[in-house]
């Protein structure tokens, strides 16, 4: 069985999503579900609005996502809500 090869951007997006899920594990147990739901919501929202060929927009969203992840990894951020 030959797994489908992913493009570089697809690998970057998957890595960012996995990093988000790993960061959720470091949050207080009471708020983990909300952090996970927020990450999933952000990825799904952007998937729906992008075309696979829109490389610049995808790269931009990956940069924004990495910056947000750094902010949310702070121990001072203990909870999150989806707006």
């Amino acid at each position: 069985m030959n797994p489908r090869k992913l493009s570089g951007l697809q690998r970057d997006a998957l890595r960012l999503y996995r990093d988000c899920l790993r960061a959720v594990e470091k949050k207080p147990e009471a708020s983990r579900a909300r952090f996970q739901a927020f990450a999933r919501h952000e990825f799904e929202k952007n998937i729906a609005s992008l075309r696979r060929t829109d490389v610049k927009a995808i790269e931009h969203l990956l940069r924004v996502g990495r910056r947000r992840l750094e902010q949310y990894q702070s121990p001072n951020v203990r909870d999150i809500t989806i707006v």
Side-chain angles (χ1 to χ4, degrees):
M1 189 156 107
N2 191 6
R4 187 175 140 220
K5 295 211 178 217
L6 299 175
S7 72
L9 285 177
Q10 288 172 323
R11 283 194 307 268
D12 290 345
L14 189 56
R15 184 178 306 119
L16 177 60
Y17 187 69
R18 287 179 180 154
D19 289 345
C20 290
L21 294 181
R22 286 186 191 108
V24 167
E25 295 303 316
K26 297 176 183 170
K27 294 299 175 185
E29 194 167 336
S31 62
R32 286 181 189 168
R34 287 185 292 277
F35 274 100
Q36 188 172 5
F38 177 80
R40 183 179 182 104
H41 175 264
E42 288 297 304
F43 273 83
E44 287 179 349
K45 174 180 75 172
N46 291 315
I47 286 171
S49 66
L50 286 178
R51 293 170 49 204
R52 295 177 85 181
T53 56
D54 197 354
V55 174
K56 289 184 186 234
I58 295 169
E59 289 173 341
H60 169 74
L61 287 170
L62 286 171
R63 285 190 302 273
V64 169
R66 286 187 198 107
R67 282 194 300 264
R68 280 188 180 177
L69 176 59
E70 286 179 19
Q71 291 173 342
Y72 297 147
Q73 284 177 326
S74 167
N76 297 330
V77 178
R78 298 181 184 178
D79 205 353
I80 197 163
T81 58
I82 299 174
V83 181

